[in-house]
Amino acid sequence: MTSRPSLLLASALTGVSLLFAVPASAATAPSPAPSSAATGLGSAAGCFTWGRSLSEGTSGEDVRQLQIRVAGYPGFGGELAIDGEFGSATRSAVQRFQAAYGLEADGIAGPITFGTIYDLQKGDCSPANFDWSELNQCGTDWSGGQVDAATVRTNVLVTMWKLQALRHAMGDRPIGINDGFRDHACNDAVGGDPDSLHMYGLAADMSAGSQGFCALAFEAREHGFTQILGPGYPGHDDHVHVAGGTGRYWSAPTCGL
């Protein structure tokens, strides 16, 4: 995407409180994982492990880490707050994640749910089918954007897990990524808006793959992307731009969106 529309005055998302300059997803970068010997719920590939089951009413860093990984399951038009508080929205997101992977959809994150997450999670915390480098094609150190590098990394991590949910919903067919985080220099070089969501780590641009642009744009509505721009929107006939952390604005006129 080369510009951020000025029409972000669209409807606020129900049950989600987001401050644009520092979105709810922008807390701190993931903490180093405890050793698997110190946990009772299995092991991750060197990223993060959970030491207890989580359900509605619990809170803490382990809840926040869970929210990052189920951020792609907020329901149509929603966006899950990454706040470390396991409320009804998190329970619903966990249920959708569980249903998507054929688990009992009870909304309680226990060993089986975490086991599925571990199967999807690489050692650097990225999901199985997306890499940090794909979301940083400018090759920067995550600094130089509109927020600090730690916030950018957390936002990018949330974006990747949303993309993983989108990919799974579309039959686990590959999704190409054309663009992700940009620092000021990279954003200027492509003619981006001075306050582009790419500069927060909140945005990604997708190539069509085998799914087609319109199918991607329509499905993205289910997976936490509150900004969707595609064919028919100026400058977006060759990709679909998705982002979170804003009021809802979807426009892909060629697709009827």
Side-chain angles (χ1 to χ4, degrees):
M1 176 195 177
T2 60
S3 65
R4 168 176 166 242
S6 60
L7 299 178
L8 296 180
L9 47 82
S11 59
L13 299 176
T14 302
V16 179
S17 176
L18 293 173
L19 177 62
F20 173 68
V22 184
S25 60
T28 57
S31 303
S35 67
S36 59
T39 68
L41 294 176
S43 63
C47 174
F48 189 87
T49 55
W50 285 265
R52 58 173 179 161
S53 293
L54 301 173
S55 58
E56 193 165 358
T58 55
S59 62
E61 175 63 13
D62 50 359
V63 173
R64 193 181 74 88
Q65 293 288 340
L66 171 65
Q67 289 169 329
I68 289 171
R69 288 151 181 82
V70 299
Y73 295 93
F76 182 86
E79 184 167 29
L80 183 65
I82 312 299
D83 59 6
E85 299 292 333
F86 199 125
S88 59
T90 299
R91 175 175 51 80
S92 295
V94 171
Q95 287 178 307
R96 293 185 189 97
F97 173 86
Q98 291 168 328
Y101 285 93
L103 309 180
E104 180 184 359
D106 59 5
I108 299 170
I112 295 176
T113 299
F114 291 133
T116 301
I117 291 174
Y118 294 148
D119 288 342
L120 290 171
Q121 176 174 273
K122 301 198 293 288
D124 59 5
C125 299
S126 62
N129 298 111
F130 295 91
D131 296 321
W132 289 98
S133 59
E134 290 181 280
L135 276 293
N136 190 351
Q137 295 184 16
C138 296
T140 70
D141 62 0
W142 308 103
S143 63
Q146 291 293 78
V147 289
D148 63 86
T151 297
V152 166
R153 283 182 60 86
T154 297
N155 288 341
V156 168
L157 185 62
V158 173
T159 299
M160 284 195 287
W161 281 95
K162 290 180 180 181
L163 290 168
Q164 185 71 34
L166 173 61
R167 185 185 193 275
H168 184 61
M170 300 194 75
D172 283 312
R173 289 177 288 171
I175 294 175
I177 302 299
N178 297 334
D179 200 2
F181 169 66
R182 302 174 191 155
D183 64 8
H184 281 278
C186 187
N187 191 61
D188 291 345
V190 299
D193 185 277
D195 200 34
S196 168
L197 294 180
H198 285 280
M199 300 181 70
Y200 294 81
L202 290 165
D205 292 346
M206 301 183 291
S207 59
S210 61
Q211 301 91 338
F213 290 132
C214 292
L216 286 170
F218 276 109
E219 185 61 35
R221 300 174 300 173
E222 301 281 352
H223 299 289
F225 294 113
T226 55
Q227 187 180 89
I228 304 169
L229 305 174
Y233 187 85
H236 290 74
D237 287 338
D238 61 352
H239 68 280
V240 175
H241 164 92
V242 290
T246 74
R248 191 189 302 173
Y249 185 79
W250 299 336
S251 181
T254 301
C255 304
L257 177 63

